[in-house]
């Protein structure tokens, strides 16, 4: 019997999952991720059409796969429309361990973080996964810095200068970020810098929610490779995307969050996530320099966490 349209039916799978099958399913899930499909959740088998014969009890559950669609992003807590779901039948053994399956990434077998980041960059390729590839980007801005950095900065997306040079934070906001890093007593080359989206939004507009959702899994993989001790989210878009929460900058700043990159695990069992702090985006500080003192308080909190001391001129 052929599977109905939109349904991957895996009833022929053995009950005991063999490694080959596990790899095949991981590849399938990666394929869905690359199509912009990230959310998997269970639905009762009764939802399936009558064309599908029910598997033996305990063998399979269904996973409804949500598809990110720019024209309608469900608000938090909103039910996913059934018309936007593809049903996938997955053996229960996998369903119980679904996040582990999702976490299998090609770079995880590589110990050298520089090579691992290269693998992620190659995986990204000449990316066309979201509409930003059609909106005038010159190049993808992947990330820069020390692949072993203890401190990572994450911004929103590339601007015109970054798009032209292929490196994050190289324009005026980048110069201010460099000064902020210097004020902490370290140099730019000692940290890792990346953005939520890797292509320039036209006119420097804020990236849309679906663009962030499509691009950020690659950032999560970069984070899992770099394994920082602290991430500083620069601005509301970076903070809200990384923390998957909606709050004002006033609510987000001034504390640490426990952070683990979503959907991926580090290959280092010693690294179980990191701390995340939120501060203002340097572009905002250029527009409202009065907030620089507040940003410095955020960075001092980070420095204390990392056991860093500011140079004497800043104390
Ligand atoms: S922003 Fe990210 S997901 Fe969108 S096209 Fe660029 S690299 Fe791909």
């Amino acid at each position: 019997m052929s599977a109905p349209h939109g349904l991957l039916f895996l009833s022929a799978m053995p009950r005991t999952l063999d490694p080959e099958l596990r790899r095949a399913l991981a590849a399938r899930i990666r394929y869905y991720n690359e199509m912009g499909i990230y959310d998997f959740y269970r639905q009762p088998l009764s939802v399936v059409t009558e064309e599908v014969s029910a598997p033996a009890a305990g063998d399979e559950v269904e996973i409804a796969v949500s598809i990110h669609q720019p024209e309608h992003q469900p608000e938090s807590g909103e039910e996913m429309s059934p018309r936007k779901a593809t049903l996938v039948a997955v053996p229960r053994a996998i369903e119980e361990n679904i996040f582990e399956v999702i976490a299998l990434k090609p770079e995880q077998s590589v110990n050298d973080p520089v090579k691992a980041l290269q693998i992620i960059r190659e995986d990204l390729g000449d990316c066309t996964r979201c509409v930003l590839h059609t909106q005038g980007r010159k190049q993808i801005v992947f990330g820069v810095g020390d692949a072993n950095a203890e401190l990572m900065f994450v911004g929103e997306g590339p601007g015109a200068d970054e798009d032209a040079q292929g490196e994050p934070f190289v324009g005026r906001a980048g110069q201010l970020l460099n000064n902020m890093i210097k004020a902490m007593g370290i140099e730019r080359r000692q940290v890792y810098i990346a953005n939520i989206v890797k292509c320039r939004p036209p006119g420097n507009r804020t990236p849309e929610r679906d663009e962030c959702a499509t691009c950020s899994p690659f950032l999560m993989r970069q984070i899992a490779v770099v394994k920082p001790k602290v991430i500083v989210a620069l601005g509301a878009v970076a903070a809200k995307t990384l923390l998957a929460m909606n709050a004002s900058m006033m609510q987000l700043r001034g504390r640490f969050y426990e952070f683990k990159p979503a959907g991926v695990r580090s290959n280092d069992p010693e690294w179980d996530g990191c701390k995340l702090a939120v501060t203002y985006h340097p572009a905002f500080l250029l527009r409202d320099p009065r907030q620089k003192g507040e940003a410095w308080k955020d960075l001092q909190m980070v420095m204390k966490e990392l056991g860093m001391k500011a140079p004497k001129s800043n104390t």
Side-chain angles (χ1 to χ4, degrees):
M1 182 189 71
S2 63
H5 178 70
L7 183 70
L8 177 66
F9 190 57
L10 304 174
S11 59
M13 281 189 172
R15 293 185 186 204
T16 306
L17 204 61
D18 69 53
E20 191 58 41
L21 180 56
R22 186 185 180 82
R23 271 194 294 277
L25 188 67
R28 170 63 62 173
I29 290 173
R30 268 202 300 277
Y31 168 75
Y32 281 125
N33 288 168
E34 287 172 2
M35 297 278 288
I37 300 168
Y38 298 98
D39 303 326
F40 301 83
Y41 58 92
R42 291 178 59 178
Q43 282 196 341
L45 271 169
S46 56
V47 174
V48 188
T49 90
E50 289 179 4
E51 287 179 69
V52 181
S53 56
D59 270 359
E60 295 178 334
V61 294
E62 286 178 13
I63 306 295
V65 182
S66 70
I67 301 174
H68 295 283
Q69 299 200 0
E71 65 276 14
H72 174 71
Q73 285 299 304
E75 296 302 322
S76 176
E78 184 182 332
E79 290 291 323
M80 185 64 63
S81 163
R83 284 174 299 173
K84 291 176 183 169
T86 302
L87 296 179
V88 182
V90 178
R92 186 174 296 280
I94 291 182
E95 187 274 339
E96 285 168 354
N97 213 2
I98 190 76
F99 295 111
E100 191 178 328
V101 173
I102 289 172
L104 292 177
K105 305 292 180 196
E107 68 275 13
Q108 284 186 297
S109 58
V110 176
N111 286 327
D112 179 353
V114 174
K115 283 191 184 141
L117 289 172
Q118 280 169 0
I119 289 171
I120 300 170
R121 180 63 189 89
E122 283 162 17
D123 202 5
L124 189 61
D126 188 20
C127 184
T128 58
R129 292 171 180 84
C130 85
V131 295
L132 288 179
H133 86 280
T134 64
Q135 299 190 348
R137 79 164 183 215
K138 286 193 177 68
Q139 56 189 313
I140 290 170
V141 180
F142 183 68
V144 71
D146 184 355
N148 289 298
E150 291 191 345
L151 178 58
M152 187 163 174
F153 288 92
V154 175
E156 181 178 308
D161 293 313
E162 290 75 19
D163 185 44
Q165 296 185 41
E167 185 173 326
F169 285 95
V170 290
R172 282 185 68 225
Q175 286 168 15
L176 180 53
L177 178 62
N178 291 349
N179 290 343
M180 291 160 71
I181 293 169
K182 205 170 167 187
M184 298 173 81
I186 52 175
E187 294 178 30
R188 177 181 168 102
R189 62 179 172 78
Q190 293 176 275
V191 304
Y192 192 83
I193 308 171
N195 283 308
I196 296 291
V197 294
K198 300 187 188 308
C199 299
R200 183 193 180 198
N204 289 350
R205 67 159 168 79
T206 302
E208 299 287 348
R209 189 173 154 187
D210 63 293
E211 294 158 359
C212 295
T214 304
C215 201
S216 60
F218 290 93
L219 172 65
M220 298 295 177
R221 289 167 64 182
Q222 288 169 280
I223 293 170
V225 165
V226 176
K227 298 173 290 189
K229 286 185 179 167
V230 176
I231 293 173
V232 177
L234 298 166
V237 170
K240 290 178 188 179
T241 305
L242 290 171
L243 295 171
M245 62 189 286
N246 201 5
S248 68
M249 282 296 284
M250 195 182 292
Q251 292 166 321
L252 289 165
R253 289 181 49 246
R255 54 163 290 196
F256 279 115
Y257 301 82
E258 296 297 328
F259 176 80
K260 289 184 186 181
V264 64
R265 267 202 255 162
S266 168
N267 65 358
D268 180 357
E270 301 285 307
W271 191 81
D272 191 30
C274 62
K275 295 225 176 335
L276 187 147
V278 178
T279 194
Y280 294 115
H281 193 288
F284 171 78
L285 295 175
L286 288 172
R287 290 195 299 273
D288 187 357
R290 292 170 303 173
Q291 302 303 326
K292 284 183 179 176
E294 291 299 302
W296 180 234
K297 283 183 198 166
D298 298 330
L299 296 184
Q300 284 178 308
M301 183 179 82
V302 169
M303 290 162 64
K304 192 173 174 193
E305 176 66 24
L306 291 172
M308 296 163 58
K309 283 201 167 53
K312 282 215 165 63
S313 57
N314 295 316
T315 54

